[in-house]
Amino acid sequence: MDNAEKMIYLDHAATGPMWPEAVAAMLPFFTERFGNPSGVCRPAQEARRSVEEARRKIAQALGAVPPETIYFTGCGTESDNLALTGYVNALRSVQPEKPGHIVVGMTEHPAVLETARALMRDGVFVSFARPDENGVITPEALEEVMRPDTVLVSIMYANNEVGTVQPVSELAAVSHAYGAVFHTDAVQAFGHVPIDPVAEGVDLLSASGHKFGGPKGVGFLYVREGLKLSPILNGGSQERHLRAGTLNVPGIVGMGEAARLCAVSMGETATRIAGLRNLLEERVLAKLPDVTIQAKNARRLPGHSSMTIPGVTGENMVLMLNLHGICISAGSACTSGDTKPSHVLSAMGLSDRECYGTIRISLGRGTTREEIETTAATIVEEANKLRKMLPE
Ligand code: PLP
């Protein structure tokens, strides 16, 4: 059996297929165009030109920010680490006596949460901003945890588990009113919804190639003009002394092309995908009216759907759908396999039982209506079977 052919892939929030054009753009950089962009000879110059072209494409996709504000990294996780630790360390290098206070959202990805915890162990005070039942951190909720010595706020652009898009401009405005810089983890959002860091008041923004049709193992950090960060890796002077290490030229070229393609097709793709996501939810609710769609009353990413299904566990549902060749996840890929309930759903007020009964379905640009109809029918069928196995 050809599994790849039969599979319905609905786990794009974990990762997704690359744009074929982005793969094609990368290929020469593995062989004949192998130069190291830090060098001086011709292959190096060619590689450098291509890296700068990719930087321009990404800058353009971010509301035409200056290309020099884009710094290439190894992944979204590294961008988040560099934003938080790099900014705090830069402040400490001029004011070593002040540990400072930072705020992060309770529903952040571990890339931000664990970085904040590491800073906490290093003497920085950390507060956690609480979301409402839709996963939204309101400006009022942020104000509650701000302090006069808050130096940085990090709240994700959109959540990886439930898809909630945050009121970024308002959160950035609150941060600035306290003199803090505003970082947003846009790993799930970049390439899927329009983002303009300058208009929205974002100082630092993280993204990752593989979440928008680029390759894995490459990301970038936007750093607002004039903002100083300290490097977190010791080494060479690449990326204007901020990120040491030979640049991943094929990855950067592929990510740049993916950013361009997303920007060109975003409006049409988002409308189509959101329509299919809404259809999926309607179909499931029509047969299983006790299902709760998480973050339903918030602005959501177009492709995300988080469903809590009473009487089943998300893990069982994932396994049953997998037998039908349908790939989804329970909670988020990063925490599944973990026995703890999702910290995102818990922060939104769900009980442990509700957390364990939640699945995440994430559509991509290749998702079809037929796939959605099949998936909805299979969820209903398997939920009914699993419920019958429950003890009376
Ligand atoms: N931030 C968010 C919101 C994510 O969803 C992820 C990955 O799932 C990351 C950060 C980490 O990105 P990467 O896999 O590129 O390290």
Side-chain angles (χ1 to χ4, degrees):
M1 182 175 80
D2 186 347
N3 266 335
E5 212 171 277
K6 287 194 182 306
M7 183 181 68
I8 296 179
Y9 185 79
L10 294 172
D11 200 15
H12 291 83
T15 196
M18 282 187 63
W19 290 91
E21 298 92 327
V23 177
M26 289 173 74
L27 288 178
F29 294 91
F30 289 108
T31 51
E32 70 266 27
R33 300 180 71 186
F34 54 82
N36 182 334
S38 301
V40 284
C41 57
R42 206 175 65 219
Q45 289 172 8
E46 277 176 11
R48 194 155 57 241
R49 263 199 303 278
S50 303
V51 164
E52 294 317 317
E53 193 187 328
R55 204 186 303 278
R56 278 193 295 277
K57 287 178 184 173
I58 290 170
Q60 198 59 34
L62 271 181
V65 292
E68 313 75 63
T69 58
I70 306 299
Y71 293 83
F72 293 119
T73 65
C75 56
T77 301
E78 186 191 332
S79 301
D80 287 339
N81 274 263
L82 178 56
L84 272 66
T85 309
Y87 185 66
V88 167
N89 285 350
L91 288 184
R92 281 177 155 183
S93 67
V94 287
Q95 293 182 315
E97 72 290 352
K98 284 196 186 168
H101 170 249
I102 69 169
V103 173
V104 301
M106 279 186 183
T107 55
E108 295 300 307
H109 187 272
V112 166
L113 286 177
E114 293 307 320
T115 304
R117 289 190 185 118
L119 288 170
M120 199 172 353
R121 288 193 291 276
D122 207 20
V124 175
F125 298 103
V126 181
S127 299
F128 297 86
R130 183 175 288 284
D132 66 13
E133 68 280 10
N134 284 297
V136 177
I137 296 176
T138 61
E140 295 73 32
L142 176 57
E143 285 239 42
E144 270 175 33
V145 288
M146 293 298 288
R147 301 189 341 192
D149 62 340
T150 308
V151 293
L152 175 132
V153 172
S154 179
I155 295 179
M156 65 205 319
Y157 206 101
N159 183 262
N160 44 305
E161 294 189 29
V162 295
T164 304
V165 178
Q166 298 295 345
V168 165
S169 309
E170 294 167 62
L171 297 171
V174 171
S175 309
H176 294 160
Y178 284 77
V181 304
F182 183 77
H183 166 250
T184 191
D185 173 339
V187 166
Q188 292 288 332
F190 179 81
H192 303 281
V193 290
I195 302 180
D196 185 335
V198 174
E200 294 172 84
V202 170
D203 300 297
L204 294 159
L205 178 144
S206 306
S208 173
H210 72 109
K211 306 288 188 178
F212 57 92
K216 295 171 183 60
V218 65
F220 69 85
L221 180 68
Y222 160 80
V223 183
R224 192 244 301 147
E225 271 181 308
L227 195 65
K228 290 271 172 294
L229 300 189
S230 294
I232 56 172
L233 290 180
N234 300 307
S237 59
Q238 289 92 347
E239 295 299 89
R240 282 150 291 137
H241 298 273
L242 186 56
R243 202 283 188 166
T246 301
L247 292 179
N248 171 2
V249 180
I252 290 167
V253 167
M255 177 168 70
E257 184 60 4
R260 186 188 71 77
L261 291 161
C262 285
V264 169
S265 59
M266 189 182 291
E268 183 269 325
T269 307
T271 309
R272 199 176 63 77
I273 295 300
L276 289 176
R277 187 268 316 274
N278 295 345
L279 177 72
L280 172 75
E281 294 177 348
E282 274 165 35
R283 291 282 194 264
V284 171
L285 284 170
K287 293 281 166 54
L288 303 172
D290 57 349
V291 163
T292 306
I293 307 297
Q294 300 303 335
K296 178 90 174 132
N297 298 318
R299 181 181 166 213
R300 280 186 293 166
L301 288 173
H304 272 62
S305 181
S306 170
M307 298 183 183
T308 305
I309 311 178
V312 310
T313 66
E315 290 293 339
N316 281 343
M317 191 55 113
V318 169
L319 294 175
M320 298 319 288
L321 290 193
N322 191 41
L323 294 178
H324 291 268
I326 302 172
C327 188
I328 64 159
S329 79
S332 91
C334 301
T335 47
S336 60
D338 204 330
T339 47
K340 289 198 291 291
S342 147
H343 70 283
V344 174
L345 299 171
S346 298
M348 288 165 59
L350 274 70
S351 66
D352 285 2
R353 183 187 287 265
E354 288 168 323
C355 292
Y356 288 126
T358 302
I359 54 174
R360 178 185 71 180
I361 301 167
S362 46
L363 289 64
R365 57 184 187 282
T367 304
T368 64
R369 185 180 174 115
E370 194 189 344
E371 289 179 331
I372 289 304
E373 296 284 8
T374 305
T375 303
T378 313
I379 289 173
V380 171
E381 181 190 324
E382 290 302 333
N384 285 332
K385 275 196 222 159
L386 288 167
R387 283 171 174 184
K388 284 204 186 99
M389 290 194 246
L390 276 182
E392 289 300 317

